[in-house]
Each structure stands twice: as structure tokens, then as C-alpha cells.
């Protein structure tokens, strides 16, 4: 039986050594990736892709690009979350098409607003040329910001952060879902992104958000008790 959300959150630990004798079901991993894509994401642009690696030879090569850290070298399967900021126009158009399909369920005002959002606001935020246009938009928003409330996340780095935030939320959905099924994971950012992109033959503009080793934990695969900064040091109610 699947765990409750709180049980799954508590069960999840970063597992650095997976049990070599225990296999995991690729269909369940795929189901957890499907849960991943249900994550909230900026403007519903879904600027992500997921690579589910089950091939033994490829797993070995990927582990090498992760410096053979044990979370990768002992993983039974690997899931890689990739950011595709370059697809913003395509994904905005998919939203436009979807909203058009659902037109009859929306008021004219709602329909016009959402169309305007994807046809004008999104291009304003995402359109860039070598970072110059983004910086120019940022300066304009900074000046207007003296007089009114302004949206300021307009530089290339800002939109990259936006896309990575959403991809990380999908990764977290995935890892919690895996925990729900009693499967273990370890997110990794210790890897050679260039070599990995080459290995997976990824689009040049894609960026790797996270590599997630998957398997079933060995007891010694969890490195010690969970440590968290005392909650009252990070929680502020105002
Ligand atoms: C973005 C990100 C990158 C991480 N990279 C690595 C990594 O390369 N290798 C590793 O062993 N653990 C990695 N971790 C796992 C963290 O060290 C771990 O989440 C943290 O110590 C808290 O432990 P817990 O996940 O068991 O609660 C990463 C975690 C995140 C969120």
C-alpha cells in the first residue's frame, strides 16, 4: 500500500548505497515521473523533460559523469530532470491552444486575459538576445519600479532560475512519490554537465537540473540521523 504524504516525506532520505540484490519496477518509476509533471510550475510553461535510464551500459556511463559517487554507481535506475527554457514559445503556444479548446468553459474576460498573458506577457519575460534584451528590460523595470509595483525577474539568469525552480519541484514530487511506493532516491548535482549532455545527446540549450539515483536502500546507505536546523531558527510567523 502507498504511504500517506507525511509518511512518504518522513521516509524519504538521500540514499547513497542501494541494495544490489533488489530491483525496482520501471513502470512504478515512470508512474512517479508522471506524478512529477503534476508539480506546480511557473506560468504552466512546463519547461522540463525527464530522462528515465534503465539501460545498464548507459547507467554505468552516467555514473562515470557523476564521479562514480555511490548514489550513482549503485543506482538501479536513474532519472534526470532537464530544463528546456528554450521551449518557452512552443509551450506558451500549447497553453494558448488548450485555453482555446476550453473557451466555452471560460468567461470572455477570463479567455482574453489568459490569451493576452501567453501572447504578450510571456514573450515580454522570456524573449532575449544574448542577455542584452533581458538586461535592458530589467533596467526599464527598475526605473518604473520607483513609481509602481513592478515585475523584475527579467534577466537571463532570472528566467533560468524560474525554470530550474519549477523543475526542482517536479523532481521533489517524483522523489516523494517514489518514497510513497517504498522506493529510494538520491538527488545529485555533483556531475559533469557537459559530458552528460553529450552522452544523452541532449539539445545544446538544455540544462540539467538534477540527477536522481533510484533503488532500494541498504541500511548503511543512509548516512546518519537526519539533521535539520532547529525549526524555530527558520520559521517566522508575522
Ligand atoms: C539539489 C541537490 C543536490 C544534491 N547533490 C548531491 C550529490 O551530488 N551527492 C549526494 O550524495 N547528495 C546530494 N544531495 C543530497 C543532500 O546532501 C541531502 O538532501 C541533504 O544532506 C539532506 O539529507 P536528506 O535528503 O537525507 O534529508 C543533493 C540534494 C539536492 C537537493
Amino acid at each position: 500500500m502507498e504511504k500517506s504524504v507525511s509518511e512518504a516525506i518522513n521516509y524519504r532520505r538521500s540514499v547513497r548505497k542501494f541494495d544490489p540484490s533488489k530491483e525496482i519496477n520501471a513502470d512504478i518509476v515512470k508512474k512517479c515521473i508522471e506524478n512529477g509533471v503534476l508539480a506546480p510550475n511557473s506560468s504552466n510553461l512546463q519547461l522540463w523533460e525527464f530522462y528515465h535510464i534503465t539501460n545498464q551500459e548507459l547507467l554505468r556511463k552516467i555514473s562515470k559523469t557523476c564521479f562514480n559517487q555511490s548514489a550513482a554507481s549503485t543506482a538501479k535506475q536513474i532519472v534526470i530532470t532537464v530544463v528546456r527554457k528554450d521551449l518557452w514559445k512552443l509551450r506558451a503556444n500549447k497553453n494558448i491552444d488548450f485555453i482555446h479548446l476550453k473557451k466555452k468553459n471560460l468567461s470572455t474576460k477570463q479567455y482574453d486575459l489568459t490569451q493576452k498573458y501567453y501572447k504578450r506577457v510571456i514573450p515580454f519575460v522570456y524573449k532575449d538576445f544574448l542577455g542584452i534584451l533581458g538586461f535592458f528590460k530589467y533596467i526599464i523595470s527598475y526605473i518604473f519600479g520607483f513609481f509602481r509595483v513592478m515585475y523584475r525577474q527579467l534577466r537571463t539568469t532570472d528566467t533560468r532560475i524560474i525554470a530550474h525552480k519549477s523543475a526542482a519541484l517536479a523532481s521533489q514530487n517524483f522523489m516523494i512519490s517514489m518514497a510513497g511506493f517504498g522506493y529510494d532516491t538520491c538527488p545529485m548535482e555533483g556531475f559533469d554537465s557537459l559530458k552528460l549532455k553529450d552522452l544523452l545527446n541532449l539539445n545544446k540549450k538544455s540544462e540539467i537540473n538534477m540527477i536522481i539515483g533510484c533503488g532500494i536502500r541498504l541500511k548503511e546507505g543512509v548516512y546518519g540521523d537526519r539533521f535539520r536546523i532547529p525549526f524555530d531558527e527558520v520559521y517566522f510567523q508575522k
Side-chain angles (χ1 to χ4, degrees):
M1 213 184 74
E2 270 183 73
K3 294 178 177 44
S4 72
V5 175
S6 295
E7 283 167 349
I9 287 171
N10 271 299
Y11 181 76
R12 187 212 61 78
R13 292 295 311 274
S14 292
V15 169
R16 276 56 179 249
K17 279 183 197 154
F18 298 103
D19 191 334
S21 68
K22 291 188 180 143
E23 298 301 323
I24 53 173
N25 183 328
D27 290 338
I28 292 181
V29 176
K30 190 174 172 194
K31 167 77 195 144
C32 295
I33 299 174
E34 285 169 6
N35 286 346
V37 305
L38 299 183
N41 66 94
S42 185
S43 300
N44 205 18
L45 288 177
Q46 303 164 56
L47 301 175
W48 54 40
E49 285 173 348
F50 302 86
Y51 291 82
H52 178 186
I53 318 297
T54 55
N55 178 286
Q56 290 304 313
E57 180 62 11
L58 196 51
L59 283 169
R60 202 183 51 74
K61 288 182 179 162
I62 290 172
S63 167
K64 214 171 149 194
T65 69
C66 299
F67 311 103
N68 274 328
Q69 49 177 307
S70 55
S73 65
T74 65
K76 289 287 179 183
Q77 298 179 24
I78 282 179
V79 171
I80 303 174
T81 312
V82 170
V83 168
R84 289 295 307 271
K85 205 189 100 176
D86 58 303
L87 297 182
W88 68 266
K89 205 180 220 170
L90 204 77
R91 301 274 159 96
N93 283 336
K94 298 240 178 204
N95 273 279
I96 290 169
D97 293 346
F98 177 78
I99 293 155
H100 190 67
L101 262 176
K102 302 282 167 184
K103 191 174 179 180
K104 64 175 187 323
N105 303 334
L106 301 169
S107 68
T108 314
K109 194 174 167 200
Q110 272 176 326
Y111 178 78
D112 289 347
L113 267 176
T114 43
Q115 289 283 315
K116 211 180 274 174
Y117 183 76
Y118 286 106
K119 286 181 180 168
R120 294 206 199 138
V121 179
I122 290 298
F124 177 71
V125 173
Y126 280 87
K127 219 177 236 174
D128 203 356
F129 177 70
L130 302 172
I132 300 163
L133 188 58
F135 190 70
F136 181 69
K137 287 185 289 186
Y138 173 76
I139 296 293
I140 300 280
S141 78
Y142 192 82
I143 294 166
F144 274 85
F146 283 116
F147 311 105
R148 50 180 286 194
V149 176
M150 277 302 295
Y151 184 77
R152 295 163 193 266
Q153 285 73 34
L154 295 163
R155 290 168 294 185
T156 313
T157 40
D158 296 323
T159 46
R160 280 186 62 218
I161 290 169
I162 291 169
H164 276 273
K165 271 194 240 177
S166 297
L169 288 172
S171 301
Q172 175 68 346
N173 255 21
F174 166 71
M175 291 187 281
I176 297 301
S177 299
M178 289 282 279
F181 285 104
Y183 282 5
D184 289 298
T185 53
C186 183
M188 287 173 268
E189 60 192 353
F191 53 81
D192 180 329
S193 55
L194 271 185
K195 289 210 167 57
L196 189 59
K197 273 168 70 172
D198 269 358
L199 184 62
L200 297 174
N201 208 9
L202 295 183
N203 179 288
K204 284 215 166 9
K205 289 186 176 155
S206 57
E207 291 184 12
I208 294 167
N209 174 255
M210 228 177 273
I211 301 186
I212 306 171
C214 309
I216 304 281
R217 68 183 70 181
L218 280 174
K219 204 161 170 269
E220 65 269 27
V222 179
Y223 291 173
D225 290 342
R226 177 177 264 145
F227 164 68
R228 287 298 183 265
I229 304 294
F231 191 63
D232 58 5
E233 285 185 37
V234 297
Y235 173 77
F236 307 95
Q237 188 172 19
K238 295 214 180 212

